[in-house]
Amino acid sequence: MAVEKIFILPGGFLDVDHSIFVSAVGMGQMIACPVYSVLLMTSDGPILIDVGFNPDGVKDPEHAWGPRAKLIPPRMKEEDDVRLRLKQLGVEITDVRMVILTHMHWDHTGSLRFFTHCPVVVQREEHRFAFSPDAYLASPYMQNHLDPALDYHLLEGDGIVVEGVSVFKTPGHTPGHQSVLVRQSNGKSFIFAGDAVPLMENMERKAPLSNTCNAKDCVDSLYRIEHLAHIVGAEIVPGHDMAVYENFKQSPEPL
C-alpha cells in the first residue's frame, strides 16, 4: 500500500475567541478557524482523517449541534457535507476503507454515522472518555454524534495503521488525542496534528490551549510533534489555522 494523493476537504468554519486556542492570548479577539477532513488516496482505497461537522446543522442547527448552535455557531454550507466533498472526487461513502479520528469532539465526528461499513480508528482512552466524560469537559462530546455500535478499532498508544500512515499519542486537548503521520509515495511527509496544534502559534509559543484537559500534556505534545517532524522531515499541519489552510491547495486539487 502507498499513499498516492492527499486532499483537504473543506467542512466550514468556526469563529472562536483567540484565547481558546492559545491560552491567555488575544482574549476577546475573534478569529475564523477552518474545519476540514483529510482524504488519503491509497493504492488499497481511501482513508479519511476526521469527518467534520454534522451536516444536519445546515437546516436544523439546534437539533444537530445543541447549545453550541448559539454559543459558537458553525458557518457551514450544504456543499461542506463530507459526503458531497467525497463525491466531488468520485468517492462514495462506501468506498472509504477506514476512518481515523484525531479525537472525538463534535467538529471532528459530526458525520461518523455514515461510516457503518468500515473501521474507525481511535485511541482507547479517547473512546472511553468520549462516552463518559467528566462533566466540566463534556460539552464538546456530542452523544448524538457518537454511535456506540460503530466498528471502533481501539488503539493503546503509537502504531502503524497501514503502510505510510502512523498514529501517535498527543494528549492534552483531550485525554486520548492522537496525531497522524502520513508519508506519501513521492517522499513528502505530513503530520496532521488535529487539535494538539490548533494554530501554528501554539507551536511557536509552545503555548497550550485554554480548552484542554491537561495543559502540561498539551505542551509536552507540542514538543513531541516538533521533534518527530524534525526527525522524519514532515510538515506540521495544524487543525484550525486559517493562514495555513488558505495556503494549501484544497479539494478538488490535491495537497
Side-chain angles (χ1 to χ4, degrees):
M1 173 186 286
V3 178
E4 296 165 347
K5 290 183 180 180
I6 302 174
F7 295 89
I8 302 294
L9 307 184
F13 300 91
L14 281 174
D15 297 307
V16 302
D17 192 293
H18 192 167
S19 66
I20 295 295
F21 283 152
V22 188
S23 183
V25 173
M27 287 182 282
Q29 174 192 351
M30 301 300 288
I31 59 173
C33 301
V35 171
Y36 59 90
S37 302
V38 180
L39 179 66
L40 310 178
M41 296 299 291
T42 82
S43 52
D44 285 355
I47 295 174
L48 199 58
I49 303 173
D50 292 336
V51 295
F53 288 127
N54 182 347
D56 292 351
V58 174
K59 294 182 178 178
D60 192 353
E62 290 190 42
H63 182 262
W65 299 322
R68 288 184 169 242
K70 291 182 177 178
L71 181 65
I72 44 173
R75 289 189 279 122
M76 185 182 188
K77 301 175 292 188
E78 285 191 18
E79 55 264 40
D80 293 326
D81 185 328
V82 73
R83 294 171 294 181
L84 298 182
R85 293 297 182 190
L86 290 171
K87 192 165 286 191
Q88 288 174 347
L89 297 169
V91 177
E92 298 294 334
I93 283 284
T94 51
D95 295 332
V96 175
R97 65 176 301 248
M98 179 186 299
V99 171
I100 301 172
L101 297 178
T102 57
H103 61 302
M104 297 180 76
H105 279 177
W106 68 302
D107 52 325
H108 299 258
T109 57
S111 296
L112 263 187
R113 69 184 185 275
F114 305 131
F115 297 93
T116 57
H117 64 283
C118 68
V120 176
V121 176
V122 65
Q123 291 290 322
R124 182 181 298 278
E125 188 172 5
E126 182 70 9
H127 179 269
R128 182 205 64 76
F129 192 83
F131 284 99
S132 184
D134 295 341
Y136 68 97
L137 295 171
S139 60
Y141 292 104
M142 294 191 181
Q143 298 308 309
N144 65 331
H145 291 27
L146 307 177
D147 183 351
L150 292 177
D151 183 18
Y152 294 103
H153 282 211
L154 304 181
L155 305 181
E156 299 195 33
D158 305 349
I160 298 170
V161 179
V162 297
E163 184 181 348
V165 183
S166 303
V167 298
F168 60 103
K169 286 192 71 174
T170 49
H173 177 54
T174 66
H177 193 287
Q178 63 184 2
S179 298
V180 187
L181 171 63
V182 178
R183 186 180 67 255
Q184 276 187 280
S185 54
N186 63 9
K188 290 184 179 180
S189 295
F190 298 89
I191 293 175
F192 294 99
D195 285 10
V197 188
L199 309 178
M200 284 308 296
E201 185 179 356
N202 297 94
M203 186 62 72
E204 292 156 3
R205 293 176 178 266
K206 297 301 183 291
L209 305 88
S210 59
N211 177 20
T212 176
C213 71
N214 187 305
K216 180 183 183 302
D217 284 351
C218 263
V219 176
D220 288 347
S221 291
L222 290 169
Y223 279 103
R224 187 171 200 225
I225 290 168
E226 184 178 59
H227 184 211
L228 182 59
H230 176 74
I231 290 172
V232 304
E235 182 173 352
I236 298 169
V237 183
H240 295 288
D241 192 306
M242 182 64 86
V244 174
Y245 177 78
E246 289 180 334
N247 245 357
F248 278 145
K249 292 180 180 178
Q250 296 158 25
S251 182
E253 293 296 316
L255 185 61

